[in-house]
Amino acid sequence: MATIKDVAKRAGVSVGTVSKVLNGVYVRDANRLKVEEAISQLNYQVNTYARGMKAQFTNTVALILPDLVNPFFALLTNYVEQELFRKNYRMVLCLSSGSFEKEQGYFAAARQNKIDGIIGLTYSDEAEKYVSDDMPLVSIDRYYEAHIPCVTSDNYQGGVIAARHFYRTGCHQVAYFRTGAKTAGSTLERDRGFLETSRELGMECVHMDFGEEPGAQTADQIYQYLQEYQANTSRVVEGIFFSSDDLAVMTVEKLRREGIRIPEDVQIIGYDGLTVLNRGPLYVSSIRQPIQEMARCCVEQVMRVIHHEPAQMLTVLPVEFAEGGTTKPQISGG
Amino acid sequence: MATIKDVAKRAGVSVGTVSKVLNGVYVRDANRLKVEEAISQLNYQVNTYARGMKAQFTNTVALILPDLVNPFFALLTNYVEQELFRKNYRMVLCLSSGSFEKEQGYFAAARQNKIDGIIGLTYSDEAEKYVSDDMPLVSIDRYYEAHIPCVTSDNYQGGVIAARHFYRTGCHQVAYFRTGAKTAGSTLERDRGFLETSRELGMECVHMDFGEEPGAQTADQIYQYLQEYQANTSRVVEGIFFSSDDLAVMTVEKLRREGIRIPEDVQIIGYDGLTVLNRGPLYVSSIRQPIQEMARCCVEQVMRVIHHEPAQMLTVLPVEFAEGGTTKPQISGG
DNA sequence: CTGAAAGCGCTTACAG
DNA sequence: CTGAAAGCGCTTACAG
């Protein structure tokens, strides 16, 4: 590989001059031309590591996510990579599986300038301790106490929208079934939005937490829960809101197998707005998060922190109702 | 950040000695202990860039893929990251959208030792030119002329399995509908496997190519094609094999809307074995690729190339039939 | 086994 | 504007 020295020799200038044209500092036109000529003849490219050692930047951002099995995360990664590339940054991907140990290495790397910044969706409480004020970190969905910019969507409003939809389609008895970590602030907002709005609108609402990881039996448990509730109270649940699409999909399958008609007997609303194979129709009616816009904002904010520009500490993007065939049309507008 | 100098001073040894314990070279126990003590007290971590400049390795591998919208790619990425991490490597992700320009930067980076190796699924013919014998590259699905290890699954056999299934469930008239790039060698093998086996087994087989990107109207076109074929020949297609699951799913939806019963009237087999939300049931009966095993082999081979060990030039992993409710049970075994 | 020193390929004040 | 030189944080022969 050609080095800056080779270029300098070939162009008949000093390495300092070559470095300047490399970094867009002004040099005499004649020299710039000679250098550019030499660069292209030698097919020279700067060695990022040598540069990074001095310059303290590497044009690399790490994205920390639990996994890519969840299509929401896969799509987010897809768009974050595109945005970073547009800004001439590379993306290193860290799938933490929720383990803080794995994340830790990236925090260290950031502190060491081996990566310029981090975009992270992390459920770990421990992370907070490691996050200093000047750490170039943007958090997805989770609002830290520290001065860490956070990009999220309007989870509370997501719950509100779901509750209102049930109300406007004539429901009196609804349910909320959640899953996943309780620490994740954003999901808790969905809970609150739905529960509070249901109460305000005078709907009866039961809710249930099905633990960290929904399994194959979760849909059965939900079915059984509904049966017992009906037997005990003589009340029929007319609308169910889920904290995620996967739980909603599993439940829809189960209920249909049991002969329950959807949406006639019971309406279903999921969360995320995922589509079949990530580009077909929706799986279920859902609250759609603006994934691409979230990705764009994450990159925007991390760039600001990296360049020491003032960042927006909290970005809350709007969500919307997405009709997916498991809900009835609304009676009144809005 | 503490540097190796700080550690040396604190431990009362030279930087050379510190470097040695860092790299597992033997030093006197007493010194090693002092160095380790200093390292942990200073919370020291080696600067990868400084090391990379000398050592010519960075413990980083790039994964090049078209996108993460396709769940197959998302899952592959998921497993490749896990495998790389286990081997203490980081993964930088390059989503090329099929554009060679974007890939090119990574080839250059590899040549420059900014990344140690590349795992790539690329459809671009141009890539071949850039690939020298010593380029640490492992290709997914695509067999290059050059001495580039390739990891793939048994696409030919996938076609064979589908054809046999139709035969054993009593079909006489089948169809093959493909989509996607014609250059991708692996898909062409599916074509061949299915077409050749259908002929050998004495089944009539029509086939059709629906272009690079299947759109919303592709399923309509397929339906129309089937209608016309039946009208013109008085022959009814009893089994359809698709080059990918998404096309199969779209077609199943369309046919059902038109009142065609699946699998009673026509059987459907897709390709990839994708599941609902990447962990639910299969979308359609399909040929399942061993994604995790493919990821493991890619990482294994790229490690070998990086460490100048002999690599396996072609790894063909077995595929299997996955029953997904759009096929009839086989009459005879096997 | 250990230390002093050269050198990896850049960038960046500093003179000129 | 340009060049010579120091220095970034490591590794690696080379003496001892």
Side-chain angles (χ1 to χ4, degrees):
Chain A
M1 288 299 305
T3 72
I4 198 173
K5 240 181 196 163
D6 301 321
V7 175
K9 192 185 295 175
R10 181 158 198 138
V13 297
S14 74
V15 297
T17 303
V18 176
S19 177
K20 288 192 182 73
V21 345
L22 252 26
N23 293 287
V25 179
Y26 186 82
V27 304
R28 205 169 358 133
D29 271 8
N31 281 340
R32 185 170 48 71
L33 258 35
K34 281 191 290 183
V35 169
E36 284 167 353
E37 169 80 7
I39 285 175
S40 83
Q41 283 190 1
L42 294 170
N43 197 15
Y44 167 78
Q45 293 198 270
V46 334
N47 178 319
T48 326
Y49 292 105
R51 164 182 281 176
M53 216 170 79
K54 288 294 286 184
Q56 304 296 320
F57 65 82
T58 59
N59 277 40
T60 304
V61 165
L63 176 64
I64 300 180
L65 246 33
D67 62 67
L68 294 186
V69 175
N70 184 331
F72 179 80
F73 297 150
L75 290 173
L76 191 66
T77 305
N78 191 74
Y79 295 127
V80 166
E81 196 273 351
Q82 286 179 3
E83 281 296 321
L84 284 174
F85 184 79
R86 285 185 43 205
K87 303 213 183 265
N88 198 31
Y89 274 72
R90 310 302 145 248
M91 183 183 84
V92 8
L93 183 62
C94 168
L95 302 177
S96 63
S97 321
S99 127
F100 179 62
E101 278 180 37
K102 204 164 166 184
E103 294 168 3
Q104 216 168 354
Y106 290 85
F107 283 105
R111 208 173 293 112
Q112 239 188 308
N113 295 317
K114 290 193 293 194
I115 55 179
D116 298 346
I118 298 177
I119 299 172
L121 194 160
T122 159
Y123 296 146
S124 159
D125 280 321
E126 299 184 67
E128 311 225 4
K129 301 177 209 153
Y130 280 73
V131 174
S132 56
D133 278 14
D134 59 336
M135 158 94 68
L137 168 67
V138 168
S139 163
I140 301 173
D141 269 356
R142 174 174 188 148
Y143 193 68
Y144 286 89
E145 314 292 328
H147 299 291
I148 302 300
C150 170
V151 172
T152 186
S153 63
D154 196 342
N155 287 277
Y156 185 87
Q157 186 62 21
V160 171
I161 290 172
R164 286 200 185 139
H165 185 92
F166 287 150
Y167 179 74
R168 288 179 180 156
T169 50
C171 297
H172 298 95
Q173 171 69 58
V174 296
Y176 176 61
F177 295 141
R178 91 188 303 285
T179 185
K182 274 277 193 188
T183 52
S186 64
T187 318
L188 292 177
E189 291 296 297
R190 298 174 196 170
D191 305 10
R192 276 189 43 227
F194 186 76
L195 266 31
E196 291 183 7
T197 308
S198 295
R199 191 176 314 126
E200 283 166 20
L201 294 173
M203 296 187 294
E204 193 73 26
C205 182
V206 294
H207 60 279
M208 187 77 187
D209 191 316
F210 287 91
E212 292 270 323
E213 280 292 320
Q217 79 300 344
T218 308
D220 296 341
Q221 292 171 13
I222 288 174
Y223 176 69
Q224 194 181 336
Y225 179 91
L226 290 171
Q227 293 292 100
E228 287 173 7
Y229 182 75
Q230 187 171 346
N232 295 338
T233 66
S234 308
R235 297 183 63 90
V236 176
V237 172
E238 301 154 304
I240 311 176
F241 179 48
F242 289 92
S243 64
S244 68
D245 278 344
D246 55 355
L247 198 55
V249 170
M250 287 162 47
T251 305
V252 165
E253 302 270 321
K254 171 67 180 172
L255 296 182
R256 287 203 168 125
R257 276 199 304 276
E258 298 292 340
I260 294 170
R261 292 169 307 161
I262 297 169
E264 294 81 356
D265 298 335
V266 59
Q267 299 186 66
I268 302 285
I269 299 179
Y271 208 101
D272 280 347
L274 299 176
T275 59
V276 172
L277 292 165
N278 295 335
R279 52 182 204 185
L282 285 154
Y283 286 101
V284 293
S285 296
S286 190
I287 308 300
R288 181 187 288 133
Q289 299 199 63
I291 305 186
Q292 187 162 9
E293 182 64 10
M294 288 174 76
R296 212 191 54 68
C297 288
C298 287
V299 172
E300 162 90 27
Q301 296 307 321
V302 85
M303 289 296 132
R304 288 203 196 160
V305 180
I306 288 171
H307 298 118
H308 301 100
E309 297 162 9
Q312 185 150 343
M313 282 309 144
L314 182 59
T315 307
V316 180
L317 268 8
V319 298
E320 61 181 22
F321 181 74
E323 163 61 44
T326 58
T327 43
K328 299 177 187 172
Q330 292 197 9
I331 294 165
S332 58
Chain B
M1 290 302 302
T3 73
I4 198 173
K5 242 181 194 161
D6 302 320
V7 175
K9 192 183 294 175
R10 181 157 199 140
V13 297
S14 74
V15 298
T17 302
V18 176
S19 177
K20 287 192 182 75
V21 345
L22 252 24
N23 293 287
V25 180
Y26 186 81
V27 304
R28 204 167 3 131
D29 271 7
N31 282 340
R32 186 169 48 70
L33 259 35
K34 282 192 288 184
V35 169
E36 285 168 352
E37 168 81 9
I39 285 176
S40 84
Q41 282 190 2
L42 295 171
N43 197 14
Y44 167 77
Q45 292 199 268
V46 335
N47 179 319
T48 326
Y49 292 104
R51 165 181 282 176
M53 216 167 81
K54 286 295 287 185
Q56 304 296 321
F57 65 81
T58 59
N59 276 40
T60 304
V61 165
L63 175 65
I64 300 180
L65 246 33
D67 61 68
L68 294 186
V69 176
N70 184 331
F72 180 80
F73 296 150
L75 290 173
L76 191 66
T77 304
N78 191 74
Y79 295 126
V80 166
E81 196 274 350
Q82 286 178 5
E83 281 295 322
L84 285 173
F85 184 79
R86 285 186 43 205
K87 304 214 183 265
N88 199 30
Y89 274 71
R90 312 299 146 248
M91 182 184 85
V92 7
L93 182 63
C94 167
L95 302 178
S96 63
S97 319
S99 128
F100 179 62
E101 280 181 36
K102 204 164 166 184
E103 293 168 4
Q104 217 169 354
Y106 290 85
F107 283 105
R111 208 172 293 110
Q112 240 187 307
N113 294 319
K114 290 193 293 194
I115 55 180
D116 298 345
I118 298 178
I119 299 172
L121 194 160
T122 158
Y123 295 145
S124 159
D125 280 320
E126 299 183 66
E128 310 226 5
K129 300 177 210 152
Y130 280 75
V131 173
S132 56
D133 278 13
D134 59 337
M135 159 93 68
L137 168 67
V138 168
S139 162
I140 302 173
D141 268 357
R142 175 177 186 144
Y143 193 70
Y144 286 89
E145 312 294 327
H147 299 289
I148 303 300
C150 170
V151 172
T152 185
S153 63
D154 196 342
N155 287 277
Y156 186 87
Q157 186 62 21
V160 171
I161 290 172
R164 286 200 185 140
H165 184 93
F166 287 150
Y167 179 74
R168 289 179 180 157
T169 51
C171 297
H172 299 96
Q173 170 69 58
V174 295
Y176 175 61
F177 295 142
R178 90 187 307 283
T179 185
K182 273 277 193 189
T183 51
S186 65
T187 318
L188 292 177
E189 291 297 297
R190 299 174 195 171
D191 305 10
R192 276 191 39 226
F194 186 76
L195 265 31
E196 291 183 8
T197 307
S198 295
R199 191 177 315 125
E200 283 168 21
L201 294 172
M203 298 187 293
E204 192 73 26
C205 182
V206 294
H207 60 278
M208 186 78 187
D209 191 317
F210 287 93
E212 292 270 324
E213 280 293 319
Q217 78 300 341
T218 308
D220 295 341
Q221 291 171 13
I222 288 174
Y223 175 68
Q224 194 181 336
Y225 179 90
L226 290 171
Q227 293 292 101
E228 286 173 8
Y229 183 75
Q230 186 170 347
N232 295 339
T233 66
S234 308
R235 297 184 62 90
V236 176
V237 172
E238 301 152 306
I240 312 176
F241 179 47
F242 289 92
S243 64
S244 68
D245 278 343
D246 56 355
L247 198 55
V249 171
M250 286 161 47
T251 305
V252 165
E253 302 269 321
K254 170 69 179 173
L255 295 182
R256 287 203 167 128
R257 275 199 304 275
E258 298 292 340
I260 294 171
R261 291 169 308 159
I262 296 168
E264 293 81 357
D265 298 336
V266 59
Q267 299 186 67
I268 302 286
I269 299 179
Y271 208 101
D272 281 347
L274 299 176
T275 58
V276 171
L277 292 165
N278 295 336
R279 51 183 205 185
L282 285 154
Y283 286 101
V284 295
S285 295
S286 188
I287 307 300
R288 181 187 289 133
Q289 299 199 63
I291 304 186
Q292 187 162 10
E293 183 64 10
M294 288 174 76
R296 210 191 55 67
C297 288
C298 287
V299 172
E300 162 90 26
Q301 296 308 321
V302 85
M303 289 296 133
R304 289 204 196 157
V305 180
I306 288 171
H307 299 117
H308 301 100
E309 297 162 9
Q312 185 149 343
M313 283 308 145
L314 181 60
T315 307
V316 180
L317 269 7
V319 297
E320 60 181 23
F321 181 73
E323 163 61 44
T326 58
T327 43
K328 300 177 187 170
Q330 291 197 9
I331 293 164
S332 58

